[in-house]
Amino acid sequence: ETAFAKVTATPPDMVILDVMLPGRSGFDILRDLRADARTLDLPVLMLTARGQKKDRDLAAELGADHFMTKPFSNTEIREYVRKVLGE
């Protein structure tokens, strides 16, 4: 419930966001991030155990930069983060 407030208070270089969160979904938070000028271009990686096409489509529609379905490896996440951050 406080994710959006924390991201806007101290903007990170990117956000790794799970779809299934307590209180609000990652999709709701992504929608908020994309609706705010301060976080409109913030890279967002969505993670989920639900790899259904409708989830991927919704993430893309809402502006997620990348979508990974569990199981994924730590190496995959690190590689994507390094790519996004230009490391």
Side-chain angles (χ1 to χ4, degrees):
E1 294 179 7
T2 61
F4 180 75
K6 288 184 180 189
V7 168
T8 55
T10 309
D13 293 325
M14 77 175 294
V15 171
I16 300 174
L17 187 59
D18 200 318
V19 170
M20 295 184 288
L21 298 169
R24 298 183 71 206
S25 78
F27 294 127
D28 293 332
I29 295 167
L30 178 60
R31 188 176 289 114
D32 292 345
L33 292 172
R34 293 302 183 241
D36 190 290
R38 297 170 293 179
T39 55
L40 178 64
D41 296 321
L42 182 66
V44 176
L45 166 59
M46 297 287 296
L47 304 177
T48 186
R50 300 175 354 184
Q52 299 171 346
K53 183 178 180 334
K54 68 178 184 173
D55 293 324
R56 287 184 176 277
D57 290 348
L58 180 56
E61 178 184 320
L62 294 174
D65 296 281
H66 195 64
F67 190 91
M68 285 188 190
T69 303
K70 297 174 187 173
F72 45 78
S73 70
N74 290 339
T75 300
E76 288 176 279
I77 294 174
R78 279 194 307 270
E79 287 174 359
Y80 182 75
V81 169
R82 286 183 178 129
K83 177 182 166 186
V84 168
L85 300 181
E87 296 179 6

